[in-house]
Structure formats: C-alpha cells, structure tokens
C-alpha cells in the first residue's frame, strides 16, 4: 500500500514538473530562446523514465516490507522534491528540463547557485533517484542504474558549464 502510494506521488510530482517545464519551454521558444544539447535532454528523459520503471519493476518482484531505510529514502526523496520546487521558483520562467538560453537570460547569483553550481542536479536529481530506489528497496537499480544515469548527467553538466561560460563571462 505504501509502495503504491509512494509511486503514485512520485510519478505525479514528475508529471507536474514536466508540465511546468513544457509551459516554460513554449514561452521561451516564443521569445526566441535557443535550445542546446537536445540529444542529451532526450537521453536524460529516457534514463529518468527507465530508472523509475526499473525501480518499480524491481520493487514489484521483490515485494519487501518497509524497513527503517524506507523512512530514510522517504526523507531524502521529500527533501529532493522540495529542492526541485525551490529551483523552479528561483529560476522561474527560465527553468525547464531542457537546456535553453533566452535572449534576456540572466545568471542566477543567489548564495545557493554561487556555492552549488548545479543545485537542480545536486540537490534534486541525484537525491531523488537515490531516495526513490531506497524507498522501493530497488538495490540493483540503485547500484547499476544510478552510475549509468550519472554518465548522462555529467555530460549535461559539461554542456551547461560550457554554454554558461560562453554566455556569461562571470560564470
């Protein structure tokens, strides 16, 4: 019961964030924003869906009872989702799951963005995936899937760093 409810909430959160991203993407395209790293964006989206499906499948096959680790995973997942919506609120219309540079793009310089180059990845994505797998006790997904996901995420971070340096000399 807890597992089913958790999965429903997690998928709903991701669908809500995707709807926000799509709305922002349409608005950015209307003002002439340029997308970068589209292939990596598609690969990351597929990897995210694949990771969720693998963890859900592994959990269904294992049928484990919740343990104290379930609570740790729930806490980590909850904090990661708080971070996601904080990043969305902070970046506003510039936040998408894709990589866009708008004609009027501004560099976010609050203390979190100054001290953590990629808070969406570091405070949301990685803890979300870890928390999701821990709640579902999907250890194989965590051990195999997370490193594979990180390969794509590192590629995205490199693309984003390069683009930000080209766009914002003070980056």
């Amino acid at each position: 019961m807890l597992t089913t409810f958790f999965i429903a909430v997690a998928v709903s959160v991701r669908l809500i964030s995707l709807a926000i991203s799509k709305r922002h993407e349409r608005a950015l395209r209307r003002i002439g924003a340029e997308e970068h790293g589209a292939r990596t964006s598609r690969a990351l989206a597929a990897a995210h869906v694949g990771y969720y499906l693998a963890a859900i499948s592994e959990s269904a096959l294992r049928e484990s009872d919740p343990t104290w680790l379930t609570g740790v995973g729930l806490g980590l997942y909850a904090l990661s989702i708080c971070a996601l919506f904080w990043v969305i609120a902070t970046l506003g219309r510039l936040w998408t799951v894709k990589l866009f540079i708008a004609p009027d793009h501004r560099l976010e310089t609050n203390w979190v963005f100054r001290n953590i180059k990629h808070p969406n990845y570091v405070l949301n994505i990685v803890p979300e995936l870890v928390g999701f797998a821990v709640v579902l006790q999907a250890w194989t997904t965590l051990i195999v899937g997370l490193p594979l996901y990180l390969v794509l995420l590192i590629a995205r971070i490199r693309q984003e760093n390069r683009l930000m340096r080209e766009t914002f000399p003070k980056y």
Side-chain angles (χ1 to χ4, degrees):
M1 180 71 147
L2 170 67
T3 301
T4 304
F5 179 73
F6 172 72
I7 292 167
V9 168
V11 169
S12 296
V13 165
R14 271 293 149 202
L15 290 174
I16 289 166
S17 69
L18 186 58
I20 293 167
S21 176
K22 288 291 190 187
R23 186 179 67 233
H24 291 174
E25 179 184 340
R26 284 189 300 274
L28 287 167
R29 287 187 190 280
R30 277 195 302 274
I31 64 166
E34 186 178 335
E35 182 179 358
H36 300 268
R39 183 177 296 149
T40 305
S41 294
R42 286 190 300 274
L44 277 169
H48 212 93
V49 170
Y51 188 94
Y52 265 50
L53 291 175
I56 291 166
S57 298
E58 185 178 347
S59 174
L61 293 172
R62 179 166 285 128
E63 295 185 28
S64 301
D65 291 327
T67 69
W68 66 272
L69 280 173
T70 307
V72 171
L74 282 170
L76 185 59
Y77 179 84
L79 289 173
S80 76
I81 297 310
C82 289
L84 168 65
F85 286 103
W86 178 83
V87 168
I88 291 171
T90 301
L91 294 179
R93 67 179 183 82
L94 297 175
W95 181 86
T96 70
V97 297
K98 296 179 179 176
L99 186 53
F100 279 93
I101 295 293
D104 63 344
H105 208 105
R106 63 174 170 29
L107 182 63
E108 182 56 57
T109 59
N110 75 39
W111 69 271
V112 173
F113 280 83
R114 277 193 319 271
N115 294 299
I116 302 173
K117 276 283 197 225
H118 302 279
N120 191 59
Y121 308 141
V122 174
L123 301 176
N124 166 242
I125 298 294
V126 173
E128 171 195 350
L129 295 176
V130 171
F132 191 79
V134 170
V135 169
L136 298 180
Q137 298 180 30
W139 308 118
T140 303
T141 302
L142 181 63
I143 292 167
V144 175
L146 187 61
L148 293 173
Y149 190 97
L150 290 175
V151 169
L152 294 171
L153 192 59
I154 289 167
R156 164 47 54 89
I157 288 170
R158 287 180 177 154
Q159 288 173 340
E160 193 169 319
N161 283 341
R162 185 180 68 251
L163 183 60
M164 296 300 277
R165 280 191 303 271
E166 291 169 1
T167 307
F168 302 105
K170 292 184 179 187
Y171 184 77

